[in-house]
Amino acid sequence: MSALGVNPPRSDADAKLRGEAVFGADLVRPGMLWAALARSPVAAGQIRAIDAGPALEIDGVLEVLTAVDVPDWRTGVIVSDCPFLAVDYVAYEGEPIAIVVADNRTAAEAGASAVVPDIKPIEPISTPEQALAPGARFVHSAWNRYAVAGGVDIGRDGNVVAEVIHDPGDLDAAFAVADLVVEGTYRTPRQYQAHLEPKMALATFESGRYTIEVSHQYPFRLRDRVAQILGVTPSAVRVIGHHIGGGFGAKLDVSLEAFAALLARRYRRPIRMQHSALEERLVAPCRANALVSVRSAVRRDGTILATEVEIVSDSGAYANNGPSLSAIPMFVFGSIYRVGTARIRTRNVYTNTAPTGAYRGVNGPWLVFANERHMDAIADALGLDRREFRLSSLAQDGHLMRNGQPLEQVSILHEAFERVDELAPWRDIVSRNAEQRDIVSRNAEQRDIVSRQSEQRGGGDGLLRGVGMAAAIWLTNPMPGHATVKLNEDGTATVITSATENGSGAVATALRQIAAESLGLAADQVLVTMPDTDATGYDSGSQGSRTTHVVGRAIADASAEVRRQVLDRASQMLEAAPEDLVITDGVVTVAGVPVASLTLGQVAQAATWTQGPIAAGASYVTPTPPHDPMCATGMLIKGWPTPTYHLHQAEISVDPVTGRVTVERYVVCQEVGRAIHPDAIAGQIQGGVAQGLGFALSERVDLDHGRYVQRTFKEHGLPLAADVPKVEMIVMEHADPAGPYGAKGAAEPPVVPVAAAVANAVADAIGAPIDTLPITPEAVLDALERAR
């Protein structure tokens, strides 16, 4: 029986269900000290003094360190703009200004709260618009002295962290001959990852090396970033991973780890640090807020002649990943749709707010929101059916993206439109909704009467109904992966890798299934180790749906070599040619002669004591697709590897009295290459849609003068189970030749089209544009009022 396409239990299920799994937040060590950070209470200001006296008076506090006691240099992922501790200037509320060391957590946190900073407030640059205004103060006055990795030109200029420009130069001619120009401006807020386990670190120092135990999505990046900050070689840092209590991108970079490591060396004792719930919010690397302006030149028949896109995204106080992510618009606009020529300009901007970062789907949800809202706007302006307009504009196989990369399988998206229409026929839904809106419109003068009374008048339930769709393409993150597969002497197999299980099941299910399929084992006979940068080859962590595709490919290659070694040894023992042997259910047999057999354990035992253990390692990096390297300036991400194709369709109702939006039905058609574990894919789709609905409808991460307004989950507006419909799913399998048994990425894309599909449906229901997120009841009522 194949180990693929079935749903074996997760390897971590029992431990997690019983509460036995050890997460980073559970770790304790003998002799452990605690540390906590004192943080800036203002969004921008000059540090005049820091009074540690009140903290040192607290029983249990051992020491307070400030910038004069720690390394004085700046580091960063791409731009070296971030100090270890703020020296004379704070750039956001929550920036670390001091470290308090104590013999227990309560004392450390109390000490951090007791530190008294003397900071002269400066009016913060709170929004990208303020940052770009003529004469605006620089968030970092020394911005032009910060080093950029590799010395590459990323378009830095004052408050502009990075700029990507794609300009083919023939846009104006297209606009000059257009029958119609359609313009739109689309605003989206930040989104907080809302993972349950706070960031933490437990560090020790021994024999000149740092060991850091964490719950982290990317142990090797953490190793390298801690080494960068402390000024040591990467081999001086060892990172050991534990179970992760959620991350969604928030645990991809350094946080507390370098502080803990520094103190571990200073005290020669284990140092433990952990964020409080408030700290998590204040310094979370949220999804960036953004402003996208789009204008398109179109003919009356629906042909798009040209599109111009201006994007401004908020980097917060430091660059973080912003320079890399600024390339992503190149793969959203003019990718799946034919838009003629396109001019795209993206600016990532400093503000006096917490640095933004990675969140599932990175920039995708707000870019697709803008792109798909704009497609609806064009269709509406031309009086065209929105689905038919998309179909007429869809690219064909071989279509070139803006970077010159050919898309060879866009026909999958055509299939998706057909599959969704079979399940939820667009024309029928549109017609039914129009009839309902006519009924509600006829009763418009009585909208203040409750729905039940409206129903008694024969007016239905009084709700406005709409349908919307959104299509998207998404990548499978390439970045390197490695695995070693060894056959144990009892006939089981062990996969040794630093791939991290972030909750998706990629490690707990899919990687085990890939090895099991290759070796003729059941999935429960394959073990996978926890991450350890000393024991494994480099892996790029849990991000961008890469684990099953990239690490799975490395495991498939390593398993193939293990299988070869098994057959070679077994052929000697059974006196048969290797090509005549088969492996089934952990047993090697001679084809057609079932009595001639050996268990894998017997083969492994024999090999161990005659020629050595059976094991093999392999690495994989997805090749960069063909592209035009000169397509844009400032572009760090050049290609869009292993693309997958997606179509979402949402049906919603709007209460015209309260403005409340209810998602009545949600359909997802997702292409995955090969469904290794169907239930895991279904879980990722359901979860991704839930996060997308929160972004679209209810989650609030507002900023007031650079400071976060919402500071608890009570204020946050996360969707509850009752707010999320059961998602209807269509999983398309189109095997990727490079993937392990054809698998592509699956976990990240489900969040990307959600906000666009829902907003299109709400706009359809109320007959007014919805171009700003979240779509709160107040926003709906305002739009209804404007439409009257």
Side-chain angles (χ1 to χ4, degrees), residues 558-589:
S559 297
E561 172 57 21
V562 168
R563 183 184 180 92
R564 187 200 65 76
Q565 294 178 38
V566 167
L567 295 178
D568 181 66
R569 181 59 186 157
S571 70
Q572 301 171 35
M573 298 171 70
L574 293 171
E575 297 182 347
E579 58 268 23
D580 292 334
L581 301 181
V582 294
I583 308 175
T584 307
D585 297 330
V587 178
V588 185
T589 60

PDB file of all heavy atoms in Angstrom, residues 558-589:
ATOM      1  N   ALA A 558      17.799  11.194  -0.791  1.00  0.00           N
ATOM      2  CA  ALA A 558      18.581  10.424   0.179  1.00  0.00           C
ATOM      3  C   ALA A 558      17.993   9.023   0.344  1.00  0.00           C
ATOM      4  O   ALA A 558      18.738   8.033   0.434  1.00  0.00           O
ATOM      5  CB  ALA A 558      18.609  11.151   1.518  1.00  0.00           C
ATOM      6  N   SER A 559      16.669   8.926   0.368  1.00  0.00           N
ATOM      7  CA  SER A 559      16.019   7.625   0.520  1.00  0.00           C
ATOM      8  C   SER A 559      16.290   6.729  -0.681  1.00  0.00           C
ATOM      9  O   SER A 559      16.418   5.501  -0.537  1.00  0.00           O
ATOM     10  CB  SER A 559      14.518   7.811   0.706  1.00  0.00           C
ATOM     11  OG  SER A 559      14.234   8.518   1.895  1.00  0.00           O
ATOM     12  N   ALA A 560      16.381   7.326  -1.854  1.00  0.00           N
ATOM     13  CA  ALA A 560      16.686   6.530  -3.042  1.00  0.00           C
ATOM     14  C   ALA A 560      18.067   5.897  -2.926  1.00  0.00           C
ATOM     15  O   ALA A 560      18.274   4.734  -3.316  1.00  0.00           O
ATOM     16  CB  ALA A 560      16.603   7.405  -4.292  1.00  0.00           C
ATOM     17  N   GLU A 561      19.014   6.644  -2.358  1.00  0.00           N
ATOM     18  CA  GLU A 561      20.358   6.084  -2.155  1.00  0.00           C
ATOM     19  C   GLU A 561      20.337   5.008  -1.067  1.00  0.00           C
ATOM     20  O   GLU A 561      21.009   3.979  -1.187  1.00  0.00           O
ATOM     21  CB  GLU A 561      21.331   7.202  -1.804  1.00  0.00           C
ATOM     22  CG  GLU A 561      22.716   6.731  -1.382  1.00  0.00           C
ATOM     23  CD  GLU A 561      23.430   5.855  -2.411  1.00  0.00           C
ATOM     24  OE1 GLU A 561      23.070   5.902  -3.607  1.00  0.00           O
ATOM     25  OE2 GLU A 561      24.350   5.113  -2.000  1.00  0.00           O
ATOM     26  N   VAL A 562      19.582   5.236  -0.008  1.00  0.00           N
ATOM     27  CA  VAL A 562      19.435   4.197   1.026  1.00  0.00           C
ATOM     28  C   VAL A 562      18.822   2.942   0.419  1.00  0.00           C
ATOM     29  O   VAL A 562      19.274   1.811   0.678  1.00  0.00           O
ATOM     30  CB  VAL A 562      18.588   4.715   2.201  1.00  0.00           C
ATOM     31  CG1 VAL A 562      18.180   3.571   3.139  1.00  0.00           C
ATOM     32  CG2 VAL A 562      19.340   5.790   2.973  1.00  0.00           C
ATOM     33  N   ARG A 563      17.807   3.121  -0.392  1.00  0.00           N
ATOM     34  CA  ARG A 563      17.167   1.976  -1.045  1.00  0.00           C
ATOM     35  C   ARG A 563      18.178   1.221  -1.922  1.00  0.00           C
ATOM     36  O   ARG A 563      18.201  -0.009  -1.940  1.00  0.00           O
ATOM     37  CB  ARG A 563      15.988   2.466  -1.881  1.00  0.00           C
ATOM     38  CG  ARG A 563      15.196   1.344  -2.568  1.00  0.00           C
ATOM     39  CD  ARG A 563      14.110   1.924  -3.459  1.00  0.00           C
ATOM     40  NE  ARG A 563      13.363   0.862  -4.101  1.00  0.00           N
ATOM     41  CZ  ARG A 563      12.265   0.307  -3.624  1.00  0.00           C
ATOM     42  NH1 ARG A 563      11.775   0.732  -2.462  1.00  0.00           N
ATOM     43  NH2 ARG A 563      11.644  -0.664  -4.277  1.00  0.00           N
ATOM     44  N   ARG A 564      19.008   1.989  -2.637  1.00  0.00           N
ATOM     45  CA  ARG A 564      20.013   1.337  -3.476  1.00  0.00           C
ATOM     46  C   ARG A 564      20.959   0.488  -2.635  1.00  0.00           C
ATOM     47  O   ARG A 564      21.301  -0.651  -2.997  1.00  0.00           O
ATOM     48  CB  ARG A 564      20.796   2.384  -4.262  1.00  0.00           C
ATOM     49  CG  ARG A 564      21.760   1.784  -5.296  1.00  0.00           C
ATOM     50  CD  ARG A 564      22.835   2.772  -5.699  1.00  0.00           C
ATOM     51  NE  ARG A 564      23.713   3.115  -4.593  1.00  0.00           N
ATOM     52  CZ  ARG A 564      24.681   2.303  -4.131  1.00  0.00           C
ATOM     53  NH1 ARG A 564      24.870   1.101  -4.656  1.00  0.00           N
ATOM     54  NH2 ARG A 564      25.454   2.696  -3.122  1.00  0.00           N
ATOM     55  N   GLN A 565      21.384   1.054  -1.487  1.00  0.00           N
ATOM     56  CA  GLN A 565      22.279   0.304  -0.612  1.00  0.00           C
ATOM     57  C   GLN A 565      21.592  -0.951  -0.062  1.00  0.00           C
ATOM     58  O   GLN A 565      22.216  -2.015   0.056  1.00  0.00           O
ATOM     59  CB  GLN A 565      22.744   1.189   0.541  1.00  0.00           C
ATOM     60  CG  GLN A 565      23.621   2.361   0.119  1.00  0.00           C
ATOM     61  CD  GLN A 565      24.017   3.223   1.304  1.00  0.00           C
ATOM     62  OE1 GLN A 565      24.283   2.713   2.395  1.00  0.00           O
ATOM     63  NE2 GLN A 565      24.054   4.541   1.095  1.00  0.00           N
ATOM     64  N   VAL A 566      20.318  -0.827   0.294  1.00  0.00           N
ATOM     65  CA  VAL A 566      19.559  -1.985   0.796  1.00  0.00           C
ATOM     66  C   VAL A 566      19.515  -3.090  -0.254  1.00  0.00           C
ATOM     67  O   VAL A 566      19.786  -4.271   0.022  1.00  0.00           O
ATOM     68  CB  VAL A 566      18.138  -1.557   1.206  1.00  0.00           C
ATOM     69  CG1 VAL A 566      17.237  -2.789   1.418  1.00  0.00           C
ATOM     70  CG2 VAL A 566      18.170  -0.713   2.458  1.00  0.00           C
ATOM     71  N   LEU A 567      19.152  -2.719  -1.472  1.00  0.00           N
ATOM     72  CA  LEU A 567      19.027  -3.723  -2.526  1.00  0.00           C
ATOM     73  C   LEU A 567      20.379  -4.338  -2.868  1.00  0.00           C
ATOM     74  O   LEU A 567      20.477  -5.549  -3.160  1.00  0.00           O
ATOM     75  CB  LEU A 567      18.382  -3.103  -3.765  1.00  0.00           C
ATOM     76  CG  LEU A 567      16.933  -2.630  -3.590  1.00  0.00           C
ATOM     77  CD1 LEU A 567      16.425  -1.981  -4.869  1.00  0.00           C
ATOM     78  CD2 LEU A 567      16.021  -3.780  -3.173  1.00  0.00           C
ATOM     79  N   ASP A 568      21.416  -3.522  -2.812  1.00  0.00           N
ATOM     80  CA  ASP A 568      22.753  -4.052  -3.101  1.00  0.00           C
ATOM     81  C   ASP A 568      23.152  -5.087  -2.062  1.00  0.00           C
ATOM     82  O   ASP A 568      23.653  -6.173  -2.402  1.00  0.00           O
ATOM     83  CB  ASP A 568      23.759  -2.903  -3.119  1.00  0.00           C
ATOM     84  CG  ASP A 568      25.169  -3.383  -3.434  1.00  0.00           C
ATOM     85  OD1 ASP A 568      25.375  -3.856  -4.561  1.00  0.00           O
ATOM     86  OD2 ASP A 568      26.041  -3.272  -2.552  1.00  0.00           O
ATOM     87  N   ARG A 569      22.927  -4.782  -0.763  1.00  0.00           N
ATOM     88  CA  ARG A 569      23.290  -5.728   0.288  1.00  0.00           C
ATOM     89  C   ARG A 569      22.375  -6.949   0.257  1.00  0.00           C
ATOM     90  O   ARG A 569      22.830  -8.103   0.388  1.00  0.00           O
ATOM     91  CB  ARG A 569      23.225  -5.038   1.655  1.00  0.00           C
ATOM     92  CG  ARG A 569      23.617  -5.936   2.823  1.00  0.00           C
ATOM     93  CD  ARG A 569      25.023  -6.452   2.648  1.00  0.00           C
ATOM     94  NE  ARG A 569      25.364  -7.425   3.673  1.00  0.00           N
ATOM     95  CZ  ARG A 569      26.303  -8.348   3.550  1.00  0.00           C
ATOM     96  NH1 ARG A 569      27.001  -8.425   2.419  1.00  0.00           N
ATOM     97  NH2 ARG A 569      26.551  -9.173   4.531  1.00  0.00           N
ATOM     98  N   ALA A 570      21.063  -6.716   0.074  1.00  0.00           N
ATOM     99  CA  ALA A 570      20.114  -7.826   0.068  1.00  0.00           C
ATOM    100  C   ALA A 570      20.354  -8.758  -1.110  1.00  0.00           C
ATOM    101  O   ALA A 570      20.137  -9.974  -1.009  1.00  0.00           O
ATOM    102  CB  ALA A 570      18.684  -7.285   0.035  1.00  0.00           C
ATOM    103  N   SER A 571      20.801  -8.212  -2.238  1.00  0.00           N
ATOM    104  CA  SER A 571      21.056  -9.065  -3.406  1.00  0.00           C
ATOM    105  C   SER A 571      22.158 -10.072  -3.113  1.00  0.00           C
ATOM    106  O   SER A 571      22.128 -11.218  -3.587  1.00  0.00           O
ATOM    107  CB  SER A 571      21.415  -8.205  -4.623  1.00  0.00           C
ATOM    108  OG  SER A 571      22.692  -7.607  -4.461  1.00  0.00           O
ATOM    109  N   GLN A 572      23.137  -9.636  -2.325  1.00  0.00           N
ATOM    110  CA  GLN A 572      24.198 -10.568  -1.934  1.00  0.00           C
ATOM    111  C   GLN A 572      23.665 -11.642  -0.990  1.00  0.00           C
ATOM    112  O   GLN A 572      24.030 -12.824  -1.106  1.00  0.00           O
ATOM    113  CB  GLN A 572      25.340  -9.795  -1.269  1.00  0.00           C
ATOM    114  CG  GLN A 572      25.978  -8.716  -2.138  1.00  0.00           C
ATOM    115  CD  GLN A 572      26.944  -7.843  -1.358  1.00  0.00           C
ATOM    116  OE1 GLN A 572      27.635  -8.323  -0.453  1.00  0.00           O
ATOM    117  NE2 GLN A 572      26.986  -6.557  -1.702  1.00  0.00           N
ATOM    118  N   MET A 573      22.801 -11.225  -0.082  1.00  0.00           N
ATOM    119  CA  MET A 573      22.286 -12.168   0.911  1.00  0.00           C
ATOM    120  C   MET A 573      21.290 -13.148   0.291  1.00  0.00           C
ATOM    121  O   MET A 573      21.218 -14.323   0.693  1.00  0.00           O
ATOM    122  CB  MET A 573      21.632 -11.399   2.064  1.00  0.00           C
ATOM    123  CG  MET A 573      22.595 -10.482   2.821  1.00  0.00           C
ATOM    124  SD  MET A 573      21.769  -9.392   3.992  1.00  0.00           S
ATOM    125  CE  MET A 573      21.240 -10.574   5.239  1.00  0.00           C
ATOM    126  N   LEU A 574      20.497 -12.688  -0.688  1.00  0.00           N
ATOM    127  CA  LEU A 574      19.475 -13.543  -1.316  1.00  0.00           C
ATOM    128  C   LEU A 574      19.958 -14.166  -2.610  1.00  0.00           C
ATOM    129  O   LEU A 574      19.218 -14.936  -3.247  1.00  0.00           O
ATOM    130  CB  LEU A 574      18.211 -12.710  -1.590  1.00  0.00           C
ATOM    131  CG  LEU A 574      17.455 -12.223  -0.347  1.00  0.00           C
ATOM    132  CD1 LEU A 574      16.358 -11.241  -0.740  1.00  0.00           C
ATOM    133  CD2 LEU A 574      16.873 -13.401   0.426  1.00  0.00           C
ATOM    134  N   GLU A 575      21.154 -13.786  -3.011  1.00  0.00           N
ATOM    135  CA  GLU A 575      21.733 -14.294  -4.253  1.00  0.00           C
ATOM    136  C   GLU A 575      20.792 -14.057  -5.440  1.00  0.00           C
ATOM    137  O   GLU A 575      20.427 -14.959  -6.182  1.00  0.00           O
ATOM    138  CB  GLU A 575      22.063 -15.791  -4.115  1.00  0.00           C
ATOM    139  CG  GLU A 575      23.109 -16.078  -3.046  1.00  0.00           C
ATOM    140  CD  GLU A 575      23.466 -17.541  -2.962  1.00  0.00           C
ATOM    141  OE1 GLU A 575      22.742 -18.378  -3.538  1.00  0.00           O
ATOM    142  OE2 GLU A 575      24.477 -17.863  -2.308  1.00  0.00           O
ATOM    143  N   ALA A 576      20.402 -12.796  -5.548  1.00  0.00           N
ATOM    144  CA  ALA A 576      19.525 -12.377  -6.649  1.00  0.00           C
ATOM    145  C   ALA A 576      19.975 -11.007  -7.112  1.00  0.00           C
ATOM    146  O   ALA A 576      20.604 -10.242  -6.362  1.00  0.00           O
ATOM    147  CB  ALA A 576      18.069 -12.333  -6.194  1.00  0.00           C
ATOM    148  N   ALA A 577      19.675 -10.693  -8.359  1.00  0.00           N
ATOM    149  CA  ALA A 577      20.044  -9.391  -8.898  1.00  0.00           C
ATOM    150  C   ALA A 577      19.234  -8.290  -8.203  1.00  0.00           C
ATOM    151  O   ALA A 577      18.050  -8.479  -7.910  1.00  0.00           O
ATOM    152  CB  ALA A 577      19.787  -9.354 -10.394  1.00  0.00           C
ATOM    153  N   PRO A 578      19.837  -7.128  -7.942  1.00  0.00           N
ATOM    154  CA  PRO A 578      19.108  -6.037  -7.283  1.00  0.00           C
ATOM    155  C   PRO A 578      17.823  -5.663  -8.008  1.00  0.00           C
ATOM    156  O   PRO A 578      16.809  -5.350  -7.362  1.00  0.00           O
ATOM    157  CB  PRO A 578      20.114  -4.883  -7.298  1.00  0.00           C
ATOM    158  CG  PRO A 578      21.446  -5.543  -7.344  1.00  0.00           C
ATOM    159  CD  PRO A 578      21.260  -6.771  -8.172  1.00  0.00           C
ATOM    160  N   GLU A 579      17.840  -5.703  -9.348  1.00  0.00           N
ATOM    161  CA  GLU A 579      16.641  -5.320 -10.098  1.00  0.00           C
ATOM    162  C   GLU A 579      15.508  -6.324  -9.955  1.00  0.00           C
ATOM    163  O   GLU A 579      14.362  -6.022 -10.325  1.00  0.00           O
ATOM    164  CB  GLU A 579      16.983  -5.102 -11.577  1.00  0.00           C
ATOM    165  CG  GLU A 579      17.599  -6.299 -12.260  1.00  0.00           C
ATOM    166  CD  GLU A 579      19.116  -6.285 -12.199  1.00  0.00           C
ATOM    167  OE1 GLU A 579      19.686  -5.630 -11.286  1.00  0.00           O
ATOM    168  OE2 GLU A 579      19.729  -6.918 -13.075  1.00  0.00           O
ATOM    169  N   ASP A 580      15.804  -7.505  -9.405  1.00  0.00           N
ATOM    170  CA  ASP A 580      14.755  -8.514  -9.198  1.00  0.00           C
ATOM    171  C   ASP A 580      14.154  -8.443  -7.801  1.00  0.00           C
ATOM    172  O   ASP A 580      13.279  -9.247  -7.465  1.00  0.00           O
ATOM    173  CB  ASP A 580      15.330  -9.921  -9.425  1.00  0.00           C
ATOM    174  CG  ASP A 580      15.698 -10.167 -10.882  1.00  0.00           C
ATOM    175  OD1 ASP A 580      15.083  -9.515 -11.750  1.00  0.00           O
ATOM    176  OD2 ASP A 580      16.610 -10.982 -11.139  1.00  0.00           O
ATOM    177  N   LEU A 581      14.595  -7.484  -6.998  1.00  0.00           N
ATOM    178  CA  LEU A 581      14.126  -7.384  -5.621  1.00  0.00           C
ATOM    179  C   LEU A 581      13.070  -6.284  -5.491  1.00  0.00           C
ATOM    180  O   LEU A 581      13.119  -5.261  -6.179  1.00  0.00           O
ATOM    181  CB  LEU A 581      15.292  -7.076  -4.688  1.00  0.00           C
ATOM    182  CG  LEU A 581      16.444  -8.089  -4.672  1.00  0.00           C
ATOM    183  CD1 LEU A 581      17.506  -7.659  -3.682  1.00  0.00           C
ATOM    184  CD2 LEU A 581      15.934  -9.491  -4.346  1.00  0.00           C
ATOM    185  N   VAL A 582      12.130  -6.504  -4.587  1.00  0.00           N
ATOM    186  CA  VAL A 582      11.107  -5.503  -4.264  1.00  0.00           C
ATOM    187  C   VAL A 582      11.056  -5.342  -2.752  1.00  0.00           C
ATOM    188  O   VAL A 582      11.363  -6.281  -2.003  1.00  0.00           O
ATOM    189  CB  VAL A 582       9.716  -5.895  -4.811  1.00  0.00           C
ATOM    190  CG1 VAL A 582       9.704  -5.904  -6.317  1.00  0.00           C
ATOM    191  CG2 VAL A 582       9.279  -7.243  -4.257  1.00  0.00           C
ATOM    192  N   ILE A 583      10.676  -4.133  -2.317  1.00  0.00           N
ATOM    193  CA  ILE A 583      10.530  -3.865  -0.878  1.00  0.00           C
ATOM    194  C   ILE A 583       9.080  -3.507  -0.607  1.00  0.00           C
ATOM    195  O   ILE A 583       8.559  -2.536  -1.164  1.00  0.00           O
ATOM    196  CB  ILE A 583      11.442  -2.713  -0.421  1.00  0.00           C
ATOM    197  CG1 ILE A 583      12.889  -2.945  -0.853  1.00  0.00           C
ATOM    198  CG2 ILE A 583      11.368  -2.545   1.092  1.00  0.00           C
ATOM    199  CD1 ILE A 583      13.812  -1.776  -0.520  1.00  0.00           C
ATOM    200  N   THR A 584       8.438  -4.280   0.245  1.00  0.00           N
ATOM    201  CA  THR A 584       7.039  -4.044   0.588  1.00  0.00           C
ATOM    202  C   THR A 584       6.849  -4.283   2.077  1.00  0.00           C
ATOM    203  O   THR A 584       7.263  -5.324   2.602  1.00  0.00           O
ATOM    204  CB  THR A 584       6.106  -4.982  -0.198  1.00  0.00           C
ATOM    205  OG1 THR A 584       6.393  -4.858  -1.598  1.00  0.00           O
ATOM    206  CG2 THR A 584       4.648  -4.635   0.051  1.00  0.00           C
ATOM    207  N   ASP A 585       6.237  -3.325   2.744  1.00  0.00           N
ATOM    208  CA  ASP A 585       5.929  -3.457   4.175  1.00  0.00           C
ATOM    209  C   ASP A 585       7.143  -3.868   4.990  1.00  0.00           C
ATOM    210  O   ASP A 585       7.072  -4.718   5.893  1.00  0.00           O
ATOM    211  CB  ASP A 585       4.797  -4.470   4.389  1.00  0.00           C
ATOM    212  CG  ASP A 585       3.495  -4.033   3.735  1.00  0.00           C
ATOM    213  OD1 ASP A 585       3.286  -2.805   3.637  1.00  0.00           O
ATOM    214  OD2 ASP A 585       2.716  -4.896   3.312  1.00  0.00           O
ATOM    215  N   GLY A 586       8.286  -3.275   4.671  1.00  0.00           N
ATOM    216  CA  GLY A 586       9.484  -3.525   5.446  1.00  0.00           C
ATOM    217  C   GLY A 586      10.172  -4.841   5.165  1.00  0.00           C
ATOM    218  O   GLY A 586      11.052  -5.259   5.929  1.00  0.00           O
ATOM    219  N   VAL A 587       9.809  -5.504   4.078  1.00  0.00           N
ATOM    220  CA  VAL A 587      10.380  -6.798   3.738  1.00  0.00           C
ATOM    221  C   VAL A 587      10.919  -6.747   2.316  1.00  0.00           C
ATOM    222  O   VAL A 587      10.245  -6.257   1.390  1.00  0.00           O
ATOM    223  CB  VAL A 587       9.338  -7.926   3.868  1.00  0.00           C
ATOM    224  CG1 VAL A 587       9.936  -9.274   3.448  1.00  0.00           C
ATOM    225  CG2 VAL A 587       8.819  -8.009   5.306  1.00  0.00           C
ATOM    226  N   VAL A 588      12.144  -7.256   2.129  1.00  0.00           N
ATOM    227  CA  VAL A 588      12.748  -7.367   0.813  1.00  0.00           C
ATOM    228  C   VAL A 588      12.515  -8.780   0.302  1.00  0.00           C
ATOM    229  O   VAL A 588      12.859  -9.761   0.979  1.00  0.00           O
ATOM    230  CB  VAL A 588      14.262  -7.092   0.858  1.00  0.00           C
ATOM    231  CG1 VAL A 588      14.844  -7.100  -0.558  1.00  0.00           C
ATOM    232  CG2 VAL A 588      14.556  -5.764   1.538  1.00  0.00           C
ATOM    233  N   THR A 589      11.907  -8.907  -0.878  1.00  0.00           N
ATOM    234  CA  THR A 589      11.638 -10.226  -1.446  1.00  0.00           C
ATOM    235  C   THR A 589      12.136 -10.269  -2.878  1.00  0.00           C
ATOM    236  O   THR A 589      12.321  -9.236  -3.534  1.00  0.00           O
ATOM    237  CB  THR A 589      10.127 -10.549  -1.437  1.00  0.00           C
ATOM    238  OG1 THR A 589       9.437  -9.562  -2.217  1.00  0.00           O
ATOM    239  CG2 THR A 589       9.568 -10.556  -0.024  1.00  0.00           C
TER     240      THR A 589
END
